[in-house]
Amino acid sequence: MIPRYSRPQAAAIWTQENKYRIWFEIEALACEGMAEAGLIPREAAAVIREKGGAKLAVINAADVERIDEIERETRHDVIAFLTWLAASVGPESRFVHQGLTSSDVLDTCLAVQLTQAADLLLADIDEVLAALKKRALEHKYTLTIGRSHGIHAEPTSFGLKLAGHYAEFARNRERLVAARAEIATCAISGAVGTFAHVDPRVEAYVASKLGLAVEPVSTQVIPRDRHAAFFAALGVIACGIERLATEVRHLQRSEVREAEEFFHAGQKGSSAMPHKRNPVLSENLCGLARLVRAAVVPAMENVALWHERDISHSSVERGIGPDATVTLDFALSRLAGMMDKLTIYPERMRENMDSLGGVVHSGEVLLALTKAGILREDAYKIVQRNAMATWTKLGQPDTCGFRANLLADEEVAGRVSEAQIDAAMASEMHLEQVDVIFKRVFG
């Protein structure tokens, strides 16, 4: 997580100040839950909330440094925080953390932070979806060439391309909603998760107030399969970002030039070559997607802890929690802006589609020949022969287009009319079912 690829709202989730506010909230709610159950005096819970809340409301860098100073002596972060808090709360601090273990605070806090991050990421995905829908509808009937293996295949709609990415991000949104629900889990169960020193009612109270579910079996830590699923969902979202960014990069290549990132006034593409207009945003997004996916395997390796718990997962999560969520937030925001301002060139799309002399219509011509009574194997040979004759002479003085070669072929003449060939080579036919697909995607 570096400032260059961080937005303030996402970075704020992972500040020490926010973490300590959440820690206090968990501790204060646990005290209030104990007071509700008659386990500690209500007056004590009220003092903890009042004095501790006032202190955390104005926590600053000096306070963070003081907690760090205490930790350097205690070698324990939660104890350091509790010691610092006790100085402000006074005698009632003896009820803070009663029956709890550190993981109750740490794991529940991480759940809160990840749900905060998930809410921000869901809003980001909504912005991506809005941009994709707008551009897809704008270019619903814009003809372009579809490519397989990087080679011209058959005509398609540029709006249909974008609709496919919209559908993917809609699925990604559903994945993130599910991942958020799974990670939004509270554990206040004490040492090895047996509730020997804390009443289960306290856990239920804290969970309810924080908007979390109760972990059925915490074993002192929340099982890390939940976290693995969360980071895996982020990784899949990152794959969707890279797939769309890669498409833009290909479309912006000089030889293609069908679309390009918006080029701002005063923007420079190269320090050495003033003519350059590079796809820097989409290239950047591909790199950021790799960073997000880099968190997936470590999160999965965190699942297998020793017995009821160890802390081998802790150092990993301190890194991947901020890095993956903040980076993905930045990437999604950048993607939404890039697609909203993407410059699209329909005329160039048409030029590219027509650049191979019509061979991109070979599939429909094949069907026209079979409908005329020619065996499919024979029809395939006829069409391929004429397509190759067109392809290999592109740009040469004696070039003939695919249509001319077909009509001059002895096995075609007299069996398939010019009108049938022209109908088979009509690009607009590939738009006939676009409405059906758009209805599936957008409703």
Side-chain angles (χ1 to χ4, degrees):
M1 187 180 70
I2 62 174
R4 185 180 182 89
Y5 302 130
S6 304
R7 298 201 304 161
Q9 190 175 355
I13 293 170
W14 302 100
T15 62
Q16 291 291 84
E17 291 84 355
N18 188 53
K19 181 183 76 173
Y20 290 140
R21 289 190 190 102
I22 298 170
W23 283 13
F24 171 72
E25 187 65 19
I26 294 166
E27 296 283 7
L29 286 172
C31 290
E32 290 163 358
M34 292 176 197
E36 285 279 327
L39 302 174
I40 68 171
R42 289 183 179 273
E43 297 77 9
V47 170
I48 292 165
R49 168 67 70 182
E50 180 183 355
K51 292 186 176 180
K55 184 65 175 176
L56 269 296
V58 294
I59 189 172
N60 55 36
D63 295 314
V64 172
E65 173 54 35
R66 176 56 185 149
I67 297 169
D68 290 344
E69 182 183 0
I70 299 170
E71 185 182 353
R72 285 192 286 272
E73 179 183 347
T74 62
R75 306 290 177 174
H76 196 290
D77 54 353
V78 174
I79 291 175
F81 171 75
L82 294 173
T83 302
W84 171 83
L85 181 64
S88 297
V89 172
E92 287 80 4
S93 64
R94 68 186 185 276
F95 296 110
V96 176
H97 206 70
Q98 195 171 91
L100 277 62
T101 188
S102 298
S103 292
D104 292 330
V105 178
L106 296 172
D107 279 13
T108 302
C109 174
L110 181 58
V112 172
Q113 288 175 301
L114 290 177
T115 54
Q116 289 176 345
D119 289 339
L120 186 57
L121 294 172
L122 286 168
D124 295 338
I125 291 177
D126 286 341
E127 291 184 4
V128 172
L129 289 169
L132 287 172
K133 182 177 182 178
K134 184 184 80 169
R135 303 313 301 272
L137 292 172
E138 179 185 347
H139 291 280
K140 184 176 183 180
Y141 302 114
T142 299
L143 277 165
T144 189
I145 189 63
R147 297 173 174 89
S148 57
H149 307 275
I151 307 301
H152 286 203
E154 290 192 356
T156 184
S157 149
F158 190 71
L160 192 56
K161 275 179 176 275
L162 298 180
H165 290 283
Y166 178 97
E168 180 176 359
F169 274 99
R171 293 191 297 272
N172 280 331
R173 193 185 195 286
E174 293 176 0
R175 293 181 180 110
L176 185 54
V177 168
R180 185 198 185 281
E182 185 164 7
I183 203 66
T185 306
C186 171
I188 307 290
S189 54
V192 301
T194 62
F195 295 101
H197 308 293
V198 60
D199 194 296
R201 289 176 293 175
V202 175
E203 181 184 62
Y205 182 90
V206 175
S208 175
K209 293 295 183 179
L210 292 176
L212 304 176
V214 168
E215 174 56 52
V217 183
S218 69
T219 76
Q220 190 167 326
V221 294
I222 293 173
R224 257 46 196 180
D225 62 289
R226 295 183 181 276
H227 303 73
F230 182 86
F231 286 100
L234 301 191
V236 175
I237 295 169
C239 291
I241 292 173
E242 185 167 10
R243 188 171 84 89
L244 180 50
T246 298
E247 179 71 16
V248 172
R249 291 172 67 187
H250 281 309
L251 295 177
Q252 189 164 334
R253 284 183 298 128
S254 302
E255 296 81 3
V256 180
R257 290 183 290 126
E258 293 180 359
E260 68 173 345
E261 297 170 8
F262 181 77
F263 200 76
H264 294 266
Q267 183 174 341
K268 304 293 190 293
S270 167
S271 62
M273 297 168 283
H275 74 278
K276 294 296 290 297
R277 293 161 70 103
N278 300 329
V280 292
L281 298 180
S282 48
E283 289 174 340
N284 172 254
L285 287 171
C286 289
L288 295 176
R290 295 166 194 168
L291 285 176
V292 175
R293 289 197 301 271
V296 177
V297 171
M300 291 183 173
E301 291 175 341
N302 277 353
V303 174
L305 303 179
W306 285 19
H307 303 298
E308 277 59 54
R309 69 159 295 200
D310 63 47
I311 64 164
S312 60
H313 63 286
S314 176
S315 56
V316 176
E317 290 167 355
R318 289 174 192 263
I320 65 175
D323 286 353
T325 57
V326 173
T327 301
L328 186 57
D329 166 71
F330 182 89
L332 286 168
S333 178
R334 170 158 285 186
L335 180 66
M338 183 182 79
M339 295 310 299
D340 185 63
K341 293 184 177 181
L342 189 71
T343 304
I344 298 166
Y345 301 110
E347 298 82 5
R348 179 63 181 177
M349 291 177 181
R350 173 68 77 164
E351 290 174 13
N352 286 340
M353 188 170 61
D354 295 338
S355 65
L356 297 186
V359 298
V360 296
H361 303 292
S362 67
E364 188 62 26
V365 172
L366 171 63
L367 295 177
L369 266 59
T370 59
K371 291 174 184 177
I374 301 174
L375 292 176
R376 192 181 192 283
E377 279 299 311
D378 293 337
Y380 193 100
K381 291 176 182 177
I382 294 168
V383 173
Q384 186 180 50
R385 178 173 69 234
N386 286 283
M388 294 304 105
T390 306
W391 188 305
T392 56
K393 290 190 175 183
L394 286 171
Q396 296 179 23
D398 59 341
T399 299
C400 283
F402 185 46
R403 178 182 183 278
N405 283 330
L406 283 168
L407 293 174
D409 192 297
E410 294 180 355
E411 294 189 69
V412 176
R415 304 181 71 175
V416 182
S417 68
E418 288 189 32
Q420 288 172 306
I421 294 295
D422 289 341
M425 297 182 67
S427 298
E428 284 68 24
M429 67 165 294
H430 297 277
L431 301 176
E432 290 176 0
Q433 303 301 329
V434 167
D435 285 344
V436 174
I437 302 171
F438 266 59
K439 188 173 182 180
R440 290 177 177 179
V441 176
F442 301 112

mmCIF file of all heavy atoms in Angstrom, residues 1-8 10-11 267-268 280-281 283-285 288 291 323 326-331 333-334:
data_model
loop_
_atom_site.group_PDB
_atom_site.id
_atom_site.type_symbol
_atom_site.label_atom_id
_atom_site.label_comp_id
_atom_site.label_asym_id
_atom_site.label_seq_id
_atom_site.Cartn_x
_atom_site.Cartn_y
_atom_site.Cartn_z
ATOM 1 N N MET A 1 0.847 -1.181 0.000
ATOM 2 C CA MET A 1 0.000 0.000 0.000
ATOM 3 C C MET A 1 0.884 1.232 0.000
ATOM 4 O O MET A 1 1.515 1.552 1.002
ATOM 5 C CB MET A 1 -0.897 0.004 1.235
ATOM 6 C CG MET A 1 -1.936 1.121 1.238
ATOM 7 S SD MET A 1 -2.975 1.094 2.706
ATOM 8 C CE MET A 1 -1.828 1.609 3.968
ATOM 9 N N ILE A 2 0.980 1.891 -1.147
ATOM 10 C CA ILE A 2 1.778 3.102 -1.267
ATOM 11 C C ILE A 2 0.866 4.249 -1.685
ATOM 12 O O ILE A 2 -0.168 4.022 -2.319
ATOM 13 C CB ILE A 2 2.939 2.932 -2.267
ATOM 14 C CG1 ILE A 2 2.409 2.636 -3.669
ATOM 15 C CG2 ILE A 2 3.882 1.834 -1.809
ATOM 16 C CD1 ILE A 2 3.484 2.592 -4.736
ATOM 17 N N PRO A 3 1.211 5.478 -1.344
ATOM 18 C CA PRO A 3 0.316 6.610 -1.648
ATOM 19 C C PRO A 3 -0.061 6.725 -3.118
ATOM 20 O O PRO A 3 -1.183 7.127 -3.440
ATOM 21 C CB PRO A 3 1.144 7.819 -1.184
ATOM 22 C CG PRO A 3 2.021 7.281 -0.101
ATOM 23 C CD PRO A 3 2.371 5.886 -0.535
ATOM 24 N N ARG A 4 0.851 6.351 -4.024
ATOM 25 C CA ARG A 4 0.575 6.486 -5.456
ATOM 26 C C ARG A 4 -0.662 5.706 -5.872
ATOM 27 O O ARG A 4 -1.398 6.124 -6.771
ATOM 28 C CB ARG A 4 1.794 6.023 -6.261
ATOM 29 C CG ARG A 4 1.663 6.232 -7.768
ATOM 30 C CD ARG A 4 2.919 5.754 -8.478
ATOM 31 N NE ARG A 4 2.872 5.965 -9.910
ATOM 32 C CZ ARG A 4 3.284 7.072 -10.534
ATOM 33 N NH1 ARG A 4 3.781 8.070 -9.823
ATOM 34 N NH2 ARG A 4 3.208 7.179 -11.844
ATOM 35 N N TYR A 5 -0.887 4.573 -5.246
ATOM 36 C CA TYR A 5 -2.015 3.718 -5.621
ATOM 37 C C TYR A 5 -3.010 3.577 -4.472
ATOM 38 O O TYR A 5 -3.628 2.522 -4.298
ATOM 39 C CB TYR A 5 -1.506 2.343 -6.055
ATOM 40 C CG TYR A 5 -0.533 2.399 -7.204
ATOM 41 C CD1 TYR A 5 0.686 1.729 -7.142
ATOM 42 C CD2 TYR A 5 -0.819 3.137 -8.353
ATOM 43 C CE1 TYR A 5 1.587 1.793 -8.200
ATOM 44 C CE2 TYR A 5 0.074 3.208 -9.399
ATOM 45 C CZ TYR A 5 1.278 2.529 -9.322
ATOM 46 O OH TYR A 5 2.164 2.589 -10.366
ATOM 47 N N SER A 6 -3.177 4.626 -3.695
ATOM 48 C CA SER A 6 -4.094 4.600 -2.559
ATOM 49 C C SER A 6 -5.044 5.785 -2.615
ATOM 50 O O SER A 6 -4.616 6.905 -2.898
ATOM 51 C CB SER A 6 -3.312 4.651 -1.238
ATOM 52 O OG SER A 6 -2.373 3.613 -1.142
ATOM 53 N N ARG A 7 -6.294 5.515 -2.344
ATOM 54 C CA ARG A 7 -7.265 6.602 -2.185
ATOM 55 C C ARG A 7 -7.513 6.790 -0.693
ATOM 56 O O ARG A 7 -7.540 5.811 0.076
ATOM 57 C CB ARG A 7 -8.556 6.284 -2.916
ATOM 58 C CG ARG A 7 -8.372 6.135 -4.430
ATOM 59 C CD ARG A 7 -9.674 6.321 -5.169
ATOM 60 N NE ARG A 7 -10.715 5.415 -4.712
ATOM 61 C CZ ARG A 7 -12.023 5.600 -4.926
ATOM 62 N NH1 ARG A 7 -12.434 6.661 -5.579
ATOM 63 N NH2 ARG A 7 -12.898 4.715 -4.491
ATOM 64 N N PRO A 8 -7.705 8.040 -0.247
ATOM 65 C CA PRO A 8 -7.776 8.317 1.198
ATOM 66 C C PRO A 8 -8.807 7.487 1.952
ATOM 67 O O PRO A 8 -8.532 6.991 3.055
ATOM 68 C CB PRO A 8 -8.119 9.807 1.242
ATOM 69 C CG PRO A 8 -7.575 10.359 -0.029
ATOM 70 C CD PRO A 8 -7.752 9.271 -1.049
ATOM 71 N N ALA A 10 -10.009 4.520 1.366
ATOM 72 C CA ALA A 10 -9.598 3.129 1.547
ATOM 73 C C ALA A 10 -8.437 3.027 2.514
ATOM 74 O O ALA A 10 -8.399 2.143 3.381
ATOM 75 C CB ALA A 10 -9.225 2.522 0.201
ATOM 76 N N ALA A 11 -7.469 3.920 2.378
ATOM 77 C CA ALA A 11 -6.302 3.886 3.255
ATOM 78 C C ALA A 11 -6.694 4.136 4.702
ATOM 79 O O ALA A 11 -6.093 3.571 5.636
ATOM 80 C CB ALA A 11 -5.271 4.908 2.792
ATOM 81 N N GLN A 267 -0.806 16.049 -21.735
ATOM 82 C CA GLN A 267 -0.253 14.733 -21.422
ATOM 83 C C GLN A 267 0.905 14.405 -22.356
ATOM 84 O O GLN A 267 0.893 14.770 -23.533
ATOM 85 C CB GLN A 267 -1.343 13.664 -21.546
ATOM 86 C CG GLN A 267 -0.895 12.255 -21.164
ATOM 87 C CD GLN A 267 -2.062 11.262 -21.167
ATOM 88 O OE1 GLN A 267 -3.230 11.662 -21.114
ATOM 89 N NE2 GLN A 267 -1.743 9.986 -21.224
ATOM 90 N N LYS A 268 1.917 13.706 -21.847
ATOM 91 C CA LYS A 268 3.068 13.299 -22.638
ATOM 92 C C LYS A 268 3.151 11.769 -22.635
ATOM 93 O O LYS A 268 2.997 11.128 -21.594
ATOM 94 C CB LYS A 268 4.365 13.873 -22.058
ATOM 95 C CG LYS A 268 4.369 15.405 -21.904
ATOM 96 C CD LYS A 268 4.335 16.112 -23.245
ATOM 97 C CE LYS A 268 4.576 17.605 -23.108
ATOM 98 N NZ LYS A 268 3.492 18.330 -22.402
ATOM 99 N N VAL A 280 -1.299 3.732 -20.898
ATOM 100 C CA VAL A 280 -0.659 3.653 -19.586
ATOM 101 C C VAL A 280 -1.634 3.249 -18.473
ATOM 102 O O VAL A 280 -1.236 2.568 -17.518
ATOM 103 C CB VAL A 280 0.029 4.988 -19.231
ATOM 104 C CG1 VAL A 280 1.223 5.225 -20.140
ATOM 105 C CG2 VAL A 280 -0.945 6.165 -19.322
ATOM 106 N N LEU A 281 -2.888 3.663 -18.588
ATOM 107 C CA LEU A 281 -3.847 3.316 -17.542
ATOM 108 C C LEU A 281 -4.140 1.823 -17.536
ATOM 109 O O LEU A 281 -4.132 1.179 -16.488
ATOM 110 C CB LEU A 281 -5.150 4.103 -17.730
ATOM 111 C CG LEU A 281 -5.041 5.626 -17.645
ATOM 112 C CD1 LEU A 281 -6.406 6.263 -17.859
ATOM 113 C CD2 LEU A 281 -4.457 6.058 -16.314
ATOM 114 N N GLU A 283 -2.324 -0.554 -18.833
ATOM 115 C CA GLU A 283 -1.112 -1.289 -18.444
ATOM 116 C C GLU A 283 -0.940 -1.266 -16.936
ATOM 117 O O GLU A 283 -0.600 -2.282 -16.313
ATOM 118 C CB GLU A 283 0.113 -0.681 -19.137
ATOM 119 C CG GLU A 283 0.159 -0.952 -20.622
ATOM 120 C CD GLU A 283 1.308 -0.230 -21.318
ATOM 121 O OE1 GLU A 283 1.842 0.750 -20.764
ATOM 122 O OE2 GLU A 283 1.656 -0.645 -22.429
ATOM 123 N N ASN A 284 -1.179 -0.101 -16.350
ATOM 124 C CA ASN A 284 -1.105 0.026 -14.898
ATOM 125 C C ASN A 284 -2.110 -0.902 -14.221
ATOM 126 O O ASN A 284 -1.801 -1.556 -13.207
ATOM 127 C CB ASN A 284 -1.364 1.485 -14.507
ATOM 128 C CG ASN A 284 -1.509 1.684 -13.015
ATOM 129 O OD1 ASN A 284 -2.612 1.888 -12.522
ATOM 130 N ND2 ASN A 284 -0.416 1.633 -12.293
ATOM 131 N N LEU A 285 -3.319 -0.988 -14.777
ATOM 132 C CA LEU A 285 -4.347 -1.841 -14.190
ATOM 133 C C LEU A 285 -3.951 -3.314 -14.229
ATOM 134 O O LEU A 285 -4.243 -4.062 -13.292
ATOM 135 C CB LEU A 285 -5.672 -1.633 -14.920
ATOM 136 C CG LEU A 285 -6.374 -0.299 -14.627
ATOM 137 C CD1 LEU A 285 -7.559 -0.109 -15.555
ATOM 138 C CD2 LEU A 285 -6.811 -0.225 -13.179
ATOM 139 N N LEU A 288 -1.592 -3.738 -11.311
ATOM 140 C CA LEU A 288 -2.288 -3.692 -10.032
ATOM 141 C C LEU A 288 -3.089 -4.968 -9.793
ATOM 142 O O LEU A 288 -3.177 -5.459 -8.655
ATOM 143 C CB LEU A 288 -3.218 -2.474 -9.983
ATOM 144 C CG LEU A 288 -2.533 -1.100 -10.009
ATOM 145 C CD1 LEU A 288 -3.579 0.004 -10.050
ATOM 146 C CD2 LEU A 288 -1.603 -0.915 -8.825
ATOM 147 N N LEU A 291 -0.941 -7.535 -8.287
ATOM 148 C CA LEU A 291 -0.699 -7.306 -6.861
ATOM 149 C C LEU A 291 -1.851 -7.835 -6.020
ATOM 150 O O LEU A 291 -1.640 -8.444 -4.968
ATOM 151 C CB LEU A 291 -0.503 -5.815 -6.599
ATOM 152 C CG LEU A 291 0.828 -5.195 -7.022
ATOM 153 C CD1 LEU A 291 0.805 -3.688 -6.776
ATOM 154 C CD2 LEU A 291 1.989 -5.825 -6.255
ATOM 155 N N ASP A 323 -3.006 -4.049 1.622
ATOM 156 C CA ASP A 323 -2.485 -3.992 0.258
ATOM 157 C C ASP A 323 -3.532 -4.400 -0.765
ATOM 158 O O ASP A 323 -3.733 -3.727 -1.781
ATOM 159 C CB ASP A 323 -1.250 -4.891 0.123
ATOM 160 C CG ASP A 323 -0.021 -4.291 0.793
ATOM 161 O OD1 ASP A 323 -0.102 -3.128 1.232
ATOM 162 O OD2 ASP A 323 1.003 -4.978 0.883
ATOM 163 N N VAL A 326 -6.845 -1.861 -0.613
ATOM 164 C CA VAL A 326 -6.562 -0.493 -1.053
ATOM 165 C C VAL A 326 -6.189 -0.476 -2.534
ATOM 166 O O VAL A 326 -6.623 0.395 -3.294
ATOM 167 C CB VAL A 326 -5.445 0.137 -0.195
ATOM 168 C CG1 VAL A 326 -5.020 1.486 -0.755
ATOM 169 C CG2 VAL A 326 -5.922 0.308 1.246
ATOM 170 N N THR A 327 -5.389 -1.445 -2.958
ATOM 171 C CA THR A 327 -4.995 -1.515 -4.363
ATOM 172 C C THR A 327 -6.196 -1.783 -5.256
ATOM 173 O O THR A 327 -6.342 -1.176 -6.324
ATOM 174 C CB THR A 327 -3.932 -2.609 -4.561
ATOM 175 O OG1 THR A 327 -2.795 -2.317 -3.738
ATOM 176 C CG2 THR A 327 -3.486 -2.680 -6.015
ATOM 177 N N LEU A 328 -7.071 -2.687 -4.830
ATOM 178 C CA LEU A 328 -8.252 -2.999 -5.642
ATOM 179 C C LEU A 328 -9.191 -1.799 -5.704
ATOM 180 O O LEU A 328 -9.777 -1.523 -6.767
ATOM 181 C CB LEU A 328 -8.975 -4.219 -5.079
ATOM 182 C CG LEU A 328 -10.154 -4.747 -5.901
ATOM 183 C CD1 LEU A 328 -9.721 -5.098 -7.317
ATOM 184 C CD2 LEU A 328 -10.793 -5.948 -5.225
ATOM 185 N N ASP A 329 -9.343 -1.080 -4.610
ATOM 186 C CA ASP A 329 -10.157 0.135 -4.622
ATOM 187 C C ASP A 329 -9.625 1.130 -5.645
ATOM 188 O O ASP A 329 -10.379 1.677 -6.446
ATOM 189 C CB ASP A 329 -10.160 0.765 -3.226
ATOM 190 C CG ASP A 329 -10.698 2.185 -3.235
ATOM 191 O OD1 ASP A 329 -11.912 2.356 -3.427
ATOM 192 O OD2 ASP A 329 -9.894 3.130 -3.057
ATOM 193 N N PHE A 330 -8.331 1.343 -5.652
ATOM 194 C CA PHE A 330 -7.723 2.270 -6.602
ATOM 195 C C PHE A 330 -7.926 1.784 -8.032
ATOM 196 O O PHE A 330 -8.282 2.557 -8.930
ATOM 197 C CB PHE A 330 -6.225 2.408 -6.307
ATOM 198 C CG PHE A 330 -5.505 3.366 -7.200
ATOM 199 C CD1 PHE A 330 -5.402 4.705 -6.872
ATOM 200 C CD2 PHE A 330 -4.931 2.936 -8.393
ATOM 201 C CE1 PHE A 330 -4.737 5.601 -7.713
ATOM 202 C CE2 PHE A 330 -4.276 3.811 -9.239
ATOM 203 C CZ PHE A 330 -4.182 5.152 -8.891
ATOM 204 N N ALA A 331 -7.715 0.482 -8.251
ATOM 205 C CA ALA A 331 -7.821 -0.077 -9.596
ATOM 206 C C ALA A 331 -9.248 0.031 -10.135
ATOM 207 O O ALA A 331 -9.460 0.394 -11.300
ATOM 208 C CB ALA A 331 -7.356 -1.530 -9.605
ATOM 209 N N SER A 333 -11.574 2.170 -9.273
ATOM 210 C CA SER A 333 -11.875 3.569 -9.538
ATOM 211 C C SER A 333 -11.228 4.025 -10.843
ATOM 212 O O SER A 333 -11.848 4.717 -11.649
ATOM 213 C CB SER A 333 -11.391 4.436 -8.376
ATOM 214 O OG SER A 333 -11.627 5.802 -8.631
ATOM 215 N N ARG A 334 -9.983 3.620 -11.046
ATOM 216 C CA ARG A 334 -9.289 3.974 -12.287
ATOM 217 C C ARG A 334 -9.969 3.335 -13.491
ATOM 218 O O ARG A 334 -10.117 3.966 -14.547
ATOM 219 C CB ARG A 334 -7.824 3.537 -12.205
ATOM 220 C CG ARG A 334 -7.063 3.638 -13.525
ATOM 221 C CD ARG A 334 -5.563 3.726 -13.309
ATOM 222 N NE ARG A 334 -5.196 5.062 -12.841
ATOM 223 C CZ ARG A 334 -3.933 5.474 -12.671
ATOM 224 N NH1 ARG A 334 -2.932 4.644 -12.907
ATOM 225 N NH2 ARG A 334 -3.680 6.691 -12.257
#
